[in-house]
Amino acid sequence: MEEKKYAVLIDGDNISSKYLDSILNEMTKYGIATYKRIYCDFTSQQSSKWRRLVRDSGIQAMQQFANTVGKNATDSTLIIDAMDILYTGNVDGFCIVSSDGDFTRLAIRLKESGMDVIGMGESKTPRSFRAACTVFTDLEILYEAESEDGDISAKGKKPAVKHNVEYVKKAGKNGIDLGALGQKIHGKYPNFKVKEYGYSTLQKFISGINIFRIESDEDNRKVIFLKEK
């Protein structure tokens, strides 16, 4: 069955940058993020962390200047873009990332058009927006759960190498092609880099873990999952 396609639209003025990995990881459960956009005034001091993350995450930065005091240009632009994407017919659903109840009507409208609407926001998110989504996830809970698993460190430290076995196990299945596995790991964990763990290639990284074996033939290289001792 073909995976569903989603547009991930993030309200960067309303959501902390620390949740970015959690958001992208969670979306791999639903399908492929064919659109990834973050709406924010990147010229503001508050957006400095978002500026650094966007460069390395493959997300399209949608600059929104604060033209009028007290008015949120980000909300309006995100809503307009969502409707434009809806009318292209290129997606099966949307992920709206915000704690702002102003997106309630947008979620309802997208659902009326047959779209899945995955909502993500902080605990302060109004009940109206939560109820309007097909599924809603609290980012604090998601972030804490992934921190405990070693996928994301709450203190910004890299997890130990032994935890990175999970990068491979969660991204692929036994016998997966090495190239396909690399693509899935990159999609699920955009900030993961084998060089940070002393390896020059993904093949060497996987070969260095004793519960995996790479079998090669003329056409491809398959990753075999061995039983843990």
Side-chain angles (χ1 to χ4, degrees):
M1 183 180 295
E2 186 177 351
E3 288 190 271
K4 289 186 176 182
K5 299 176 182 178
Y6 285 85
V8 180
L9 309 179
I10 303 173
D11 178 2
D13 288 337
N14 187 265
I15 293 292
S16 171
S17 61
K18 73 178 183 179
Y19 295 123
L20 179 59
D21 279 351
S22 299
I23 294 164
L24 298 179
N25 291 346
E26 182 70 5
M27 280 309 299
T28 62
K29 298 178 181 179
Y30 298 99
I32 302 171
T34 53
Y35 292 85
K36 292 188 289 186
R37 298 179 181 179
I38 177 169
Y39 301 79
C40 189
D41 182 1
F42 293 99
T43 64
S44 68
Q45 183 62 34
Q46 292 85 347
S47 302
S48 59
K49 291 183 179 179
W50 274 122
R51 287 198 298 270
R52 291 193 296 270
L53 285 174
V54 166
R55 289 196 298 264
D56 303 322
S57 62
I59 295 180
Q60 185 176 359
M62 310 297 288
Q63 169 61 33
Q64 301 304 311
F65 293 102
N67 295 317
T68 305
V69 177
K71 298 294 184 180
N72 194 340
T74 296
D75 289 10
S76 299
T77 305
L78 190 155
I79 291 170
I80 292 170
D81 276 6
M83 298 309 296
D84 285 344
I85 294 170
L86 171 65
Y87 293 134
T88 67
N90 292 333
V91 297
D92 303 294
F94 288 79
C95 175
I96 307 298
V97 185
S98 180
S99 305
D100 192 339
D102 288 346
F103 291 111
T104 299
R105 184 67 187 96
L106 172 63
I108 293 172
R109 176 65 179 83
L110 294 173
K111 285 174 63 179
E112 288 174 346
S113 296
M115 296 285 107
D116 287 336
V117 179
I118 310 302
M120 297 189 196
E122 298 173 22
S123 58
K124 62 184 179 182
T125 306
R127 183 176 298 179
S128 59
F129 180 49
R130 294 169 180 266
C133 298
T134 309
V135 177
F136 186 88
T137 299
D138 282 280
L139 290 173
E140 291 97 335
I141 296 174
L142 184 63
Y143 181 78
E144 290 174 6
E146 292 197 340
S147 296
E148 292 175 359
D149 288 341
D151 291 335
I152 298 173
S153 170
K155 296 182 179 179
K157 297 179 181 178
K158 298 182 182 68
V161 172
K162 65 179 180 179
H163 289 305
N164 288 291
V165 170
E166 298 302 315
Y167 284 127
V168 181
K169 293 171 68 176
K170 290 181 179 180
K173 59 183 180 180
N174 191 24
I176 189 173
D177 179 76
L178 180 64
L181 176 63
Q183 293 178 353
K184 286 183 174 294
I185 291 176
H186 179 72
K188 190 172 181 63
Y189 306 102
N191 295 328
F192 173 69
K193 298 179 178 64
V194 295
K195 292 183 179 179
E196 293 183 354
Y197 301 93
Y199 295 91
S200 58
T201 66
L202 178 63
Q203 180 172 352
K204 291 180 179 179
F205 172 78
I206 293 175
S207 298
I209 303 173
N210 60 11
I211 66 168
F212 301 111
R213 181 179 74 246
I214 295 180
E215 294 184 353
S216 302
D217 56 33
E218 294 181 357
D219 299 321
N220 53 33
R221 293 167 294 175
K222 294 182 178 180
V223 180
I224 306 301
F225 292 24
L226 308 176
K227 291 183 178 180
E228 296 188 53
K229 299 180 180 180

